[in-house]
Amino acid sequence: MENKIVIKSRVRLARNLADFPFPNRLDEDKSSEVIDKVKEALFKDNSGLEREYDFYKMADLSQLKKICMVENHLISPDLASNVNGAVLVKKDETVSIMINEEDHIRIQTMCDGLELEKAYEIANKIDDFLEETLEYAFDVKLGYLTSCPTNTGTGMRHR
């Protein structure tokens, strides 16, 4: 019998903001507006979260820093090449919130071992917290609207 070891569990939630074109249609000004809205929603009311997260604009990062972040699965290669993108990374690197990647928001949580439920709970809490302030693109029949049709509905992917 073959032993299987799970190193990490990851959950991603894709969300788009209502009243904004999807990221592939955003101009620089609207991209900046999406970044500001997401930052404001996460750091609202002096929640203290600004001490737990580092914020990076892709345009300000060196190529080496981007490569390291991709290799550590904090950002995607697509985000690394997007000058209008940004990311919020929890200091312990268990959470990254990519902004203006394929979707406006990609909440990604990672836990050691086979901890999909824990990773989902963390992602869901962040999603609920953001949704208190942000209005997501949502359709009653289809669910959360995403850039990729296979993510429409829950907007969730896991591994």
Side-chain angles (χ1 to χ4, degrees):
M1 181 176 353
E2 187 179 328
N3 289 329
K4 297 198 182 214
I5 298 173
V6 176
I7 307 271
K8 286 203 181 277
S9 297
R10 177 177 71 172
V11 169
R12 278 193 337 215
L13 296 177
R15 300 290 185 255
N16 285 292
L17 302 182
D19 303 325
F20 280 88
F22 282 2
N24 65 337
R25 299 271 189 184
L26 284 178
D27 62 25
E28 189 175 339
D29 290 338
K30 288 291 185 185
S31 294
S32 292
E33 193 175 337
V34 169
I35 291 169
D36 292 343
K37 282 184 167 294
V38 175
K39 272 182 64 179
E40 289 168 13
L42 188 66
F43 300 150
K44 68 182 173 203
D45 303 328
N46 296 317
S47 64
L49 292 176
E50 59 274 357
R51 290 186 299 276
E52 292 182 37
Y53 286 82
D54 293 318
F55 172 74
Y56 305 97
K57 283 189 172 182
M58 293 300 109
D60 298 338
L61 293 179
S62 70
Q63 193 61 29
L64 180 60
K65 178 68 174 178
K66 290 178 196 178
I67 291 169
C68 289
M69 293 177 90
V70 169
E71 288 180 356
N72 289 327
H73 303 286
L74 297 172
I75 64 172
S76 67
D78 288 342
L79 185 65
S81 65
N82 181 353
V83 296
N84 293 320
V87 67
L88 292 145
V89 179
K90 194 167 183 186
K91 292 191 188 297
D92 66 4
E93 296 189 349
T94 59
V95 175
S96 67
I97 302 169
M98 293 178 269
I99 308 170
N100 292 332
E101 194 234 21
E102 185 177 45
D103 294 288
H104 293 135
I105 302 169
R106 282 270 173 100
I107 301 165
Q108 177 176 265
T109 58
M110 292 172 282
C111 295
D112 290 333
L114 184 57
E115 294 284 347
L116 279 173
E117 286 182 25
K118 180 179 177 184
Y120 171 73
E121 286 174 19
I122 295 166
N124 191 46
K125 282 182 185 177
I126 294 166
D127 183 44
D128 288 348
F129 186 75
L130 291 174
E131 197 169 17
E132 288 175 8
T133 305
L134 302 172
E135 184 182 349
Y136 290 150
F138 184 84
D139 180 86
V140 176
K141 289 182 181 178
L142 300 174
Y144 291 101
L145 304 178
T146 60
S147 296
C148 180
T150 60
N151 291 337
T152 296
T154 64
M156 182 170 61
R157 293 191 65 184
H158 54 83
R159 288 192 216 193

